Amino acid sequence: AQTVTQSQPEMSVQEAETVTLSCTYDTSESNYYLFWYKQPPSRQMILVIRQEAYKQQNATENRFSVNFQKAAKSFSLKISDSQLGDTAMYFCAFMSWTSGTYKYIFGTGTRLKVLA
Amino acid sequence: SAVISQKPSRDICQRGTSLTIQCQVDSQVTMMFWYRQQPGQSLTLIATANQGSEATYESGFVIDKFPISRPNLTFSTLTVSNMSPEDSSIYLCSAGQYGYTFGSGTRLTVV
């Protein structure tokens, strides 16, 4: 069975600094996607970044980038130049599909607070 | 990307009653997903809904408790039936091939 582990329940970072959130996963699937989602207090789930497992190149979206280590089953999120608006819960998620059947597993989340 | 309108945003319901949550997508999508997020917890997938076929439920979730409809490519409903206080949660839908566009969630409180 697939699992997703986020070992940092809470983190804080000074505004304009860089922070890295950790995520590890376990799967025997060969085709899958990994995601980082942001959930601010409004509870709206917002996609931050996604990574296709078959791509070796790490995904980047503006200030957000990932370090995808497929062999180690690690998928960390780096936030550069942190902003107050980055304060939120961050969830790492794994998705796979087999014969039209989807599996979507979320980690337990990391609460990030950006300090002024 | 698609935009999803989810209703109601919140509700307080009596135990033993049912609540139907609606998600309307502004474009046609093949797959829709329904989640439960218990207080302070992560998201748990309830079921996936493909238009024109029965929803596929995850372990621990059954159709009698969480019936889902998917009448067309832009709309789906989730009903929480015979509610108890343990059903108090946030319920979210998402849509798209990879399911990464979410509705704004429904905060359900059962009293």
Side-chain angles (χ1 to χ4, degrees), chain A residues 45-56:
Chain A
M45 289 289 287
I46 301 165
L47 176 68
V48 174
I49 200 165
R50 78 172 192 263
Q51 175 80 44
E52 295 89 338
Y54 63 86
K55 289 188 177 179
Q56 292 186 329

Side-chain angles (χ1 to χ4, degrees), chain A residues 5 20-27 32 34 36 51 58 66-77 92:
Chain A
T5 302
T20 299
L21 308 184
S22 300
C23 174
T24 59
Y25 62 95
D26 191 21
T27 184
Y32 54 90
L34 296 164
W36 278 98
Q51 175 80 44
N58 289 325
V66 297
N67 183 4
F68 175 46
Q69 301 289 328
K70 190 173 183 179
K73 295 188 172 70
S74 171
F75 183 62
S76 61
L77 174 69
C92 177

Side-chain angles (χ1 to χ4, degrees), chain A residues 9-46:
Chain A
E10 293 186 1
M11 293 191 73
S12 61
V13 62
Q14 289 294 136
E15 196 175 8
E17 298 287 302
T18 296
V19 64
T20 299
L21 308 184
S22 300
C23 174
T24 59
Y25 62 95
D26 191 21
T27 184
S28 58
E29 305 273 357
S30 56
N31 295 318
Y32 54 90
Y33 281 70
L34 296 164
F35 305 89
W36 278 98
Y37 288 95
K38 169 184 176 180
Q39 188 178 42
S42 66
R43 77 171 178 259
Q44 177 75 53
M45 289 289 287
I46 301 165

